[in-house]
Amino acid sequence: MGKIILTGDRPTGKLHLGHYVGSLKNRVKLQNSGEYDEIYLMIADSQALTDNFDNPRKVRDNVLEVALFYLACGIDPNKTNIFIQSQVPALTELTFYYMNLVTVARLHRNPTVKSEVKLRGFEESIPSGFLNYPVSQAADITAFAATTIPVGDDQLPMIEQTREIVHSFNRIYGEILVEPKELLPESNKEKRLPGIDGKAKMSKSLGNCIYLDDSDEDINKKVMQMYTDPDHIKVSDPGKVEGNVVFTYLDVFCKDSHFDTYLPEYKNLDELKEHYTKGGLGDVVIKRFLAKILCEVIKPIREKREELLQNLDYVYDVLKQGTEKANEKATITLNRVREQMGIDYFENSKFLDEMKEKFNK
Ligand code: TRP
């Protein structure tokens, strides 16, 4: 059995630094590691519709957008198969069969769904499609026989749910589905980048994002607004590094070589932190330093995206071909599922032979 990756994103907006740190960078690394036999990267438009059903334009408008960012960040379509979820009908059909294996009470217990329901004000009446999206995620994962799901910890309940479905299916219908395992970020700092306002998560709706196509000017402006230490008022005041967004970002992005290039007065981040903690180091200095580093990170992505924008036909083609390949693979799984469930009536005339035998007895 091969090592197969499946992962994806809902196309609801531009991708930002939080996506880059939390998943994109790692996906490119996994892609180039040569350790995986097949890699599928899904633009989850059907799932995006479960909470944007009343705004289909938003989903439609962001499908190519997300693909552009994938390619701009270094996803290579020769190694990673990028596809559009809704264009693989086998996924929808699998979802319908898997729904039989999950109770409504179990769906209500999913902690990620719970918090999203609150966030979206669905408490009064949850759309059943939304409640069911973890089941559809199980379909996504099993359709490709994925063994490895690189995700953040908010997705753990989905993978747990998938494993439960796999167990039930295999027990009732026969052992054909592959049990997936999550692949969590290696280090704590890759887990989740806070917003520029210090809120736990970078998110479009909170307006606290640095986008992967922001100009140097945008980046500078946003870094200058960053939340630091509210008690660090005068330069001479001692400053706090914990919970200071500038340092959280520096922890993620800063390398010793950046000091040589941009801030030669210091050897490394430890020295900078020490000075800040002692007092005598102003926010503007650390912010300018961070801004330069972030400009360096984002520039190649922004430029690659601009280049791709001149060639949308190519991007479209990548999606079309990727979706074709995804359909081939998912259809194989669907056919096996139908066979195991005994709903393969028109395959090999097996059904008719059986019925003839039954009626001739
Ligand atoms: N739920 C994921 C997100 O919101 C997207 C997704 C859909 C996904 N299906 C998946 C992720 C299967 C991993 C595996 O970003």
Side-chain angles (χ1 to χ4, degrees), residues 6-10 42 44 47 133 137 140-141 149 151 155:
L6 176 111
T7 181
D9 300 282
R10 298 179 194 178
M42 181 178 73
Q47 186 175 115
Y133 92 71
Q137 207 156 323
D140 304 334
I141 292 169
I149 318 297
V151 283
Q155 294 295 304

Side-chain angles (χ1 to χ4, degrees), residues 27-126:
R27 288 175 190 170
V28 173
K29 206 167 106 193
L30 292 169
Q31 164 194 277
N32 296 333
S33 72
E35 278 181 38
Y36 293 89
D37 301 296
E38 294 166 48
I39 303 179
Y40 296 91
L41 182 50
M42 181 178 73
I43 302 181
D45 63 333
S46 304
Q47 186 175 115
L49 282 168
T50 65
D51 64 331
N52 290 283
F53 52 86
D54 54 354
N55 191 3
R57 187 85 232 175
K58 176 170 156 193
V59 175
R60 181 179 174 87
D61 279 347
N62 282 301
V63 168
L64 265 186
E65 185 74 87
V66 168
L68 278 167
F69 280 108
Y70 284 167
L71 297 172
C73 285
I75 294 292
D76 174 357
N78 293 312
K79 297 180 183 158
T80 297
N81 201 70
I82 311 174
F83 72 97
I84 307 177
Q85 184 183 30
S86 66
Q87 304 308 296
V88 181
L91 300 177
T92 325
E93 188 173 333
L94 286 173
T95 303
F96 191 65
Y97 303 140
Y98 293 172
M99 277 163 67
N100 298 330
L101 306 174
V102 183
T103 66
V104 174
R106 174 68 182 88
L107 291 169
H108 278 289
R109 278 203 303 273
N110 185 309
T112 301
V113 171
K114 256 194 200 165
S115 67
E116 284 174 311
V117 160
K118 238 195 227 144
L119 208 70
R120 287 165 181 62
F122 282 161
E123 285 107 327
E124 289 306 305
S125 54
I126 307 174

Side-chain angles (χ1 to χ4, degrees), residues 131-149:
L131 189 64
N132 255 302
Y133 92 71
V135 181
S136 113
Q137 207 156 323
D140 304 334
I141 292 169
T142 54
F144 298 94
T147 52
T148 312
I149 318 297

